[in-house]
Amino acid sequence: MAASNAMSHDTHSTTAGAGWSTRRIAVTALFCALSLIASFIEIPIFPPAAWLKYDPSCVIALVAGLAFGPVTGTIVVVLSWLLHLIFAFNPWGVLMAVAANVALVVPCSVIARKVEGPRGLALGMGVGAMVTLAVCVVMNIIVTPLYTAVTTEAVIGMIVPILLPFNVLKVAINCVVTALVQGPVSKVLGK
């Protein structure tokens, strides 16, 4: 009977062998909380378009994705931005932030897990950067006219002078900061 109880406990979904450990759930919740807090830090980084602001929430999701995989990174992005919606109701902005952050986190964490070491991280960040830049441009063309008085043609006219430079800068900051903190965080997490 004791062996049966031990065996059923070993296959419980919160154990390390069969799924998410309690520690991983707690660490993911911590990443979500940190990402939520970071989503409210808004820094104007591109003077020609001061209304576009950088927030460091993607760095936390990217670190989570690199440590635990793309699913965890995606969970951190989605949950933190859904919670952000409660405090600052802007569904279009949240939709765009989720799309942009997932577009960076998923390719980067998938590639970095397949190709180990600094080469995998650099390759993952490069591919993730290209994907997120494409997603940001497309989302701006589709979504911006839905909630502003700006036409689709005007958004298309902003791609080269405003949208691409801002998003390149944003992605570069996310990747550089993640590259700097990912190693020490992984050591603390035992990864």
Side-chain angles (χ1 to χ4, degrees), residues 3 6 36 41 56 60 67 77 81 107 113 129 144 146 156 158 166 177 188:
L36 171 63
I41 300 168
I60 293 143
V77 169
W81 278 101
R113 290 174 81 78
T144 301
L146 296 176
I156 291 170
M158 288 189 277
F166 169 77
V177 173
V188 169

Side-chain angles (χ1 to χ4, degrees), residues 8-9 12 29 32 43 93 103 128 150 156 163 165 170 181 189:
S8 68
H9 176 72
H12 190 273
C32 288
I43 305 164
V150 178
I156 291 170
L163 298 176
K170 179 178 76 170
V181 302
L189 295 173

Side-chain angles (χ1 to χ4, degrees), residues 60-74:
I60 293 143
L62 195 49
V63 170
L66 291 169
F68 294 110
V71 171
T72 302
T74 301

Side-chain angles (χ1 to χ4, degrees), residues 80-140:
S80 64
W81 278 101
L82 285 177
L83 289 170
H84 182 100
L85 198 55
I86 294 169
F87 300 103
F89 191 74
N90 179 0
W92 298 113
V94 167
L95 175 66
M96 292 174 73
V98 167
N101 291 353
V102 168
L104 179 59
V105 169
V106 170
C108 182
S109 54
V110 166
I111 292 169
R113 290 174 81 78
K114 289 187 186 283
V115 181
E116 293 184 18
R119 182 175 171 264
L121 182 61
L123 182 60
M125 286 182 172
V127 170
M130 292 302 168
V131 172
T132 198
L133 288 173
V135 166
C136 287
V137 168
V138 170
M139 290 296 290
N140 271 286

Side-chain angles (χ1 to χ4, degrees), residues 1-102:
M1 187 70 150
S4 174
N5 286 340
M7 186 176 277
S8 68
H9 176 72
D10 287 343
T11 59
H12 190 273
S13 65
T14 58
T15 61
W20 286 44
S21 68
T22 305
R23 180 177 182 266
R24 181 173 172 187
I25 292 169
V27 170
T28 301
L30 178 63
F31 277 129
C32 288
L34 291 172
S35 183
L36 171 63
I37 292 165
S39 71
F40 288 101
I41 300 168
E42 296 179 335
I43 305 164
I45 58 169
F46 190 64
W51 72 90
L52 295 173
K53 301 208 169 55
Y54 168 79
D55 74 83
S57 65
C58 188
V59 171
I60 293 143
L62 195 49
V63 170
L66 291 169
F68 294 110
V71 171
T72 302
T74 301
I75 288 169
V76 171
V77 169
V78 172
L79 286 180
S80 64
W81 278 101
L82 285 177
L83 289 170
H84 182 100
L85 198 55
I86 294 169
F87 300 103
F89 191 74
N90 179 0
W92 298 113
V94 167
L95 175 66
M96 292 174 73
V98 167
N101 291 353
V102 168

